[in-house]
Amino acid sequence: KILCSFFIAIVVVNTAAAQQGSLEEKAKQEGPLVVYSDTNLRDLQILAKAFQAKYGFMKDVQLLSLPIERLFAKITTEFQAGTYNPDVISMSAGQTVSAKQAGWLAKYVSPEAQFYGKGFKDPDGFWTSNYMNTNVIALNTRQVRAEIYPKSYQDLLHEGWKGKMGINNAHYRWFINMLELMGEKEGIAFMRALARQELRPAGSQTLLVQLLAAGEMSLVVNVNGHSVEQLRVKDAPVDWVAVNPVIVSIHPIAVSARAKNPTSARLFVDFVLSKEGQILISDLQRIPSRTGVLPKLERLTKGLELRPSDPVFEVNNLQRGEKQFREIIKF
């Protein structure tokens, strides 16, 4: 039995190596790889350079980085016009599901997908999450003592927080997931009570964390954990707490349905999802989605009960959630 298993392992390894070699030979015949993403350009460039270092024949990787709404609009225009520029598309989960429903994504089950858990990959094989963002409560440590850090979202309703809190007023996915966790009736009641706390709005994660660090507010209700942690380790006066289960926003990567360079696109997706690629994502101080690869800033996930937001749920409920959010959290 041991000998049989040994030979089976050799066959599997050899088959995988042969498939990899075949992909590389096909990719050599293709043109420049084109990647569209809402990830910042610096991080994309680092990933692309590492990919090119691994595959020396990849002389040109063209990157487009845009904010998600502009990116989705551009992809929509190109697919409707029949230009189909992107080979690889990486953007937020809700938009990825919309792209899948519109027929803009190709089915591709990467061999690396086996290392991703439920909720971090499409059950139909069209996308896999390459990194994730945790939703946490952030605090200014000069204004808030550790002993009074909130331990639950209900703690935010205490009178002492009134007029001292900021909120991302465009984070509708957080809102609909909170209603799902709390239950519709209880969730709406909580949000109405939260709205009476004289919240300060901002539509940007980066701006909220900057305002928090500057002392313009004592607490931010809903912000990405890595945005706060990156400043905290640089001795900025910020900290964060998580309330379990922690809502996690996933960030998928996929192959375009009309990719001009489909083999190169598959190689790039494989690289980003590989252990090597995920360690690189960790080095960029993001939270890898791959099981067994920890974030460089380990505190970001240590001891947390992570609950990935279902992107299909987001798409089906986002419009209604945005309407409810605007009606309740009035700005």
Side-chain angles (χ1 to χ4, degrees):
K1 287 184 179 180
I2 294 174
L3 190 60
C4 181
S5 299
F6 175 74
F7 282 118
I8 290 173
I10 290 177
V11 170
V12 169
V13 169
N14 287 340
T15 301
Q19 291 174 341
Q20 181 71 13
S22 176
L23 279 178
E24 291 182 27
E25 287 304 313
K26 289 179 181 178
K28 289 176 183 178
Q29 310 306 314
E30 296 180 345
L33 177 69
V34 180
V35 180
Y36 279 18
S37 180
D38 63 344
T39 300
N40 70 71
L41 184 58
R42 171 188 167 273
D43 288 2
L44 283 179
Q45 289 171 335
I46 291 171
L47 283 170
K49 286 179 181 178
F51 174 66
Q52 289 174 286
K54 183 177 179 70
Y55 299 104
F57 57 86
M58 289 287 180
K59 301 300 182 185
D60 190 11
V61 177
Q62 298 176 5
L63 306 172
L64 175 71
S65 171
L66 289 174
I68 184 57
E69 297 302 333
R70 287 177 57 195
L71 179 68
F72 192 74
K74 182 174 178 61
I75 293 171
T76 301
T77 300
E78 289 185 359
F79 272 81
Q80 289 175 347
T83 53
Y84 312 115
N85 285 328
D87 297 310
V88 174
I89 299 172
S90 181
M91 56 186 175
S92 64
Q95 279 82 358
T96 300
V97 167
S98 295
K100 172 190 169 184
Q101 293 172 347
W104 300 345
L105 304 183
K107 183 173 182 177
Y108 175 58
V109 180
S110 168
E112 303 295 338
Q114 63 182 305
F115 301 105
Y116 291 74
K118 183 179 180 181
F120 292 94
K121 56 188 175 185
D122 178 36
D124 298 322
F126 283 84
W127 54 262
T128 306
S129 175
N130 58 338
Y131 64 83
M132 58 176 138
N133 294 316
T134 54
N135 287 277
V136 301
I137 299 169
L139 308 109
N140 182 294
T141 56
R142 289 177 182 158
Q143 299 180 12
V144 183
R145 303 188 312 276
E147 58 266 28
I148 63 169
Y149 281 10
K151 295 179 175 59
S152 69
Y153 283 105
Q154 293 296 329
D155 286 349
L156 302 181
L157 305 183
H158 292 168
E159 183 68 21
W161 294 116
K162 194 166 188 176
K164 299 179 180 179
M165 296 188 292
I167 188 170
N168 185 335
N169 65 330
H171 203 346
Y172 310 121
R173 291 174 180 81
W174 170 81
F175 176 81
I176 62 176
N177 275 282
M178 287 289 287
L179 297 192
E180 178 75 3
L181 281 173
M182 293 181 167
E184 184 81 9
K185 183 178 178 180
E186 294 80 3
I188 292 293
F190 167 78
M191 292 297 174
R192 292 192 188 283
L194 185 65
R196 292 192 290 270
Q197 290 288 68
E198 300 176 2
L199 304 169
R200 295 186 56 186
S204 163
Q205 296 273 349
T206 302
L207 178 59
L208 278 167
V209 176
Q210 289 173 345
L211 291 172
L212 180 73
E216 295 295 317
M217 54 188 69
S218 299
L219 179 151
V220 178
V221 174
N222 54 344
V223 71
N224 291 339
H226 79 277
S227 300
V228 187
E229 188 68 3
Q230 287 172 5
L231 287 183
R232 189 188 75 85
V233 298
K234 295 177 181 176
D235 296 323
V238 294
D239 199 1
W240 59 270
V241 292
V243 178
N244 283 324
V246 178
I247 299 167
V248 170
S249 302
I250 61 174
H251 193 274
I253 188 169
V255 175
S256 169
R258 305 285 181 90
K260 296 174 184 175
N261 306 289
T263 309
S264 299
R266 293 185 182 96
L267 278 180
F268 185 77
V269 169
D270 291 349
F271 172 75
V272 172
L273 299 178
S274 71
K275 187 173 183 180
E276 177 184 359
Q278 290 288 288
I279 290 173
L280 183 54
I281 283 174
S282 177
D283 289 341
L284 294 173
Q285 298 187 341
R286 293 186 178 273
I287 306 176
S289 294
R290 184 182 173 114
T291 302
V293 180
L294 297 174
K296 190 169 186 178
L297 304 173
E298 291 189 21
R299 180 175 179 246
L300 285 170
T301 58
K302 190 173 183 178
L304 302 188
E305 180 188 340
L306 303 179
R307 178 187 168 116
S309 176
D310 180 354
V312 176
F313 169 77
E314 290 181 11
V315 169
N316 292 340
N317 292 276
L318 196 61
Q319 188 173 5
R320 179 175 68 93
E322 180 178 348
K323 183 174 183 292
Q324 287 178 305
F325 186 90
R326 291 182 177 275
E327 289 173 350
I328 295 170
I329 315 289
K330 298 181 176 69
F331 296 115

